[in-house]
Amino acid sequence: MRPGEFLEILHFAEKLKDTTRHCTTSGRRRESVAEHCWRVSLMAMLLKNEFRALDTDKVIRMCLIHDLGECFTGDIPAFDKTNADRDTEEKLLNKWVSGLPEEVSVELSALYDEMERQETAEAKLFKALDKLEAVIQHNESPLDTWSPIELELNKTYGSDTVAFSEWLTELRELLKYETVEKIEREKA
């Protein structure tokens, strides 16, 4: 990869710093997609010893790139995202990835394919962490910033994706407890 191609990729990815998500931080600032990707990646790194049999570096790479399609479409909350939205994002992302230097294009394509198929333990861990990070962020943000649907969704979101792991299932239960406590405390 030439230095100019490297810079083009970084300039494109920079858009995620300015692409905001619907959730806010604990300080009431809307978080960026880049911040979400960073924390999902941190989660994967911190769990290396809990998932020793997995290729943690691959999971971290998945976490880092998983939302690059939102450079094209922006962030659409999971509860609002349609199949048409998913198709548009996938089409634009695939076109961009196919135009990258071959070594980068091949690696990213393989990672996106693996994430989509959800057949490997690495892909399953990535998907679980992606969803759990959203729940964690909501638990950290003020309740009055939540959409009404999130009052129930935050209690169950990602429960299906953690089922393959006892450790993640325990974490998900802890997050549900935090959510219920938060709602009770902040509504009082």
Side-chain angles (χ1 to χ4, degrees):
M1 170 174 27
R2 296 186 326 266
E5 294 169 323
F6 175 76
L7 281 177
E8 285 177 23
I9 294 169
L10 292 181
H11 291 323
F12 176 77
E14 189 271 343
K15 294 176 184 181
L16 291 186
K17 290 182 178 186
D18 284 327
T19 303
T20 56
R21 291 169 54 87
H22 73 284
C23 190
T24 66
T25 64
S26 57
R28 297 185 167 274
R29 180 183 54 77
R30 289 198 48 196
E31 73 167 333
S32 73
V33 175
E35 290 168 315
H36 162 71
C37 293
W38 167 79
R39 188 151 78 164
V40 176
S41 302
L42 178 63
M43 291 166 70
M45 185 199 80
L46 293 173
L47 291 176
K48 184 173 187 163
N49 290 329
E50 299 301 327
F51 296 91
R52 292 177 191 266
L54 276 61
D55 181 347
T56 306
D57 290 339
K58 180 188 277 188
V59 177
I60 292 169
R61 288 193 311 273
M62 290 176 176
C63 295
L64 286 169
I65 67 164
H66 79 279
D67 277 339
L68 279 171
E70 294 184 8
C71 287
F72 298 106
T73 62
D75 175 65
I76 303 169
F79 51 84
D80 285 337
K81 202 168 204 174
T82 67
N83 286 335
D85 294 328
R86 286 180 196 83
D87 290 345
T88 298
E89 183 177 314
E90 185 178 345
K91 180 181 174 185
L92 293 170
L93 179 63
N94 287 341
K95 182 178 178 184
W96 178 72
V97 168
S98 69
L100 295 174
E102 184 176 1
E103 69 272 17
V104 177
S105 178
V106 168
E107 180 181 8
L108 293 185
S109 294
L111 288 170
Y112 282 121
D113 183 57
E114 186 172 343
M115 288 187 287
E116 179 67 28
R117 290 179 187 270
Q118 284 294 293
E119 294 172 348
T120 65
E122 287 82 4
K124 290 176 182 180
L125 179 58
F126 144 71
K127 181 58 85 176
L129 296 179
D130 181 33
K131 291 186 175 197
L132 291 174
E133 196 284 330
V135 174
I136 293 167
Q137 187 60 55
H138 275 82
N139 282 349
E140 294 169 342
S141 64
L143 190 63
D144 65 0
T145 65
W146 292 23
S147 301
I149 193 173
E150 292 169 322
L151 293 171
E152 288 304 315
L153 184 61
N154 218 55
K155 296 175 189 174
T156 60
Y157 189 65
S159 294
D160 56 336
T161 62
V162 301
F164 75 97
S165 163
E166 189 175 311
W167 195 96
L168 291 174
T169 299
E170 184 178 334
L171 175 61
R172 183 63 191 96
E173 285 302 310
L174 181 58
L175 290 171
K176 180 179 178 180
Y177 176 78
E178 278 189 359
T179 298
V180 170
E181 266 200 343
K182 176 184 189 62
I183 291 169
E184 289 174 2
R185 183 178 64 252
E186 292 190 32
K187 279 194 165 187

